[in-house]
Amino acid sequence: MRPNRPLYLDHHATTPPDPRVLAAMRPWWEENFANPHSVEHAMGRAAEEAVEAARAQVAALIGADAREIVLTSGATESNNLAIKGAARFHAAGGRKRLITLATEHKCVLESVRDLAAEGFEPVVLPVRGDGLLDLAALEEALRVPTLLVSVMAVNNETGVVQDLAAIGALARAHGALFHTDAAQAAGRIPLDVEAIGADLLSLSGHKMYGPKGVGALYVRRRPRVRLAPLFSGGGQERGLRSGTLPAPLVVGLGEAARIAAAEGALDAGRIAGQRQILLDALRAEIPGLRVNGAWEQRVTGNLNLTFPRVRAADLLAALPEVMLSSGSACSSAEIAPSHVLTAMGLPREECLRTLRIGLGRFTSPAEAQQAAALIGAAWKRLASTPAAAE
Ligand SMILES: *Cc1c(COP(=O)(O)O)cnc(C)c1O
């Protein structure tokens, strides 16, 4: 790694592509640019083979069969396809209820809410103060016949890991489909669609050290889960997702999945060490610093921190050399407090004093130390000025 690379602590917004991913993609930009659906010539067939090998690598990461993987443009599309596709396919059936969580990514919340206009009944469950779903509340909601339960695996602001196996078992016992948005989980925690009982699972290349603009949706074959496609077109991806597959991106996603399967556990252990260095150093500098969300049921790279007296926006402005954000990349431009923290019961004023830190595969101990020193110094400077928020 370059010595003066930026201090990047925003791995929940996106991860840097692994150099091995870039190397795997390169020939499919430069040497063989063929359309992987052009199977009448040799270049097309080679591209198709590369796409199918990548599909198998994605399947292997989550304990699925390659035929259960639909390639998409990312987790936003996968989530839309899973939720709207399942609802619309079953529109004539009796089940109208769609259950999700208040802390979901906006693309899940908005997909479920949009379906109200098509006659479905969205139910958005609250979470506990630690960010976890109360299983009794889910069971209660499932007393009304339910079409789909969509609960994210790992939250993108707090890193909190939901009890997927228990949620999947409850959904199945009540005859509901279970979808999980695993964009933040793939590569960070082990994922097995059988153990989870997932019918549908979304993931995204750029959250797992792969390229941006590609993702996947797992669609269970036994018993077969049926979806209505979002796009009209050439009928690629078994009719579920028309459009030419971007072979270089798909190859990159496959390589990212291969690395995640082989090294994910090692990464998680190493990242936990860097996070401890960072947190210990911050706590030594900042009395009253608070971590939001469950600690044990959490990915190792995440810290969601509420700072005493100083606003997150002021801290970020004072720390131009550290790449950090106060919430999810898509909502942090808004002044509104995070819907995730609000759902966990944080008062608005505390939300505005909260930062999300995401460490990753390439974060070094020295960087963790350096980040803590910079953040600690900025906090001290701001906390001692009379303008500091009360
Ligand atoms: C990033 C993210 C998404 C969106 O994924 P894209 O591939 O960027 O569309 C969805 N859900 C979660 C939890 C995410 O972190």
Side-chain angles (χ1 to χ4, degrees), residues 74-76 79 105 107 152 154 156 181 183-184 204 206-207:
T76 298
N79 288 338
H105 194 272
C107 64
M152 71 199 321
V154 171
N156 48 300
D181 173 358
Q184 296 284 344
S204 172
H206 76 99
K207 303 292 178 71

Side-chain angles (χ1 to χ4, degrees), residues 36 57 67 80-81 114 119 189 196 253 256 311 318 322 337 351 357 366 376:
Q57 289 170 314
R67 289 168 298 180
N80 271 266
L81 176 58
D114 284 351
I189 58 169
I196 295 167
L253 175 67
R311 283 172 167 245
V322 191
C351 294
I357 296 181

Side-chain angles (χ1 to χ4, degrees), residues 1 17 50 120 131 145 180 187 201 234 246 280 309 334 342 386:
M1 284 292 142
F120 294 94
T180 185
L201 180 149
D280 289 347
R309 303 205 300 286
E334 303 164 12
T342 304

Side-chain angles (χ1 to χ4, degrees), residues 165-189:
I167 295 165
L170 272 179
R172 187 162 295 181
H174 290 81
L177 294 170
F178 175 39
H179 166 249
T180 185
D181 173 358
Q184 296 284 344
R188 292 192 171 103
I189 58 169

Side-chain angles (χ1 to χ4, degrees), residues 128-151:
R128 309 188 316 202
D130 62 3
L132 289 166
L133 166 63
D134 176 0
L135 292 173
L138 174 61
E139 203 159 11
E140 179 68 26
L142 282 165
R143 283 164 62 160
V144 173
T146 297
L147 204 166
L148 176 85
V149 174
S150 180
V151 174

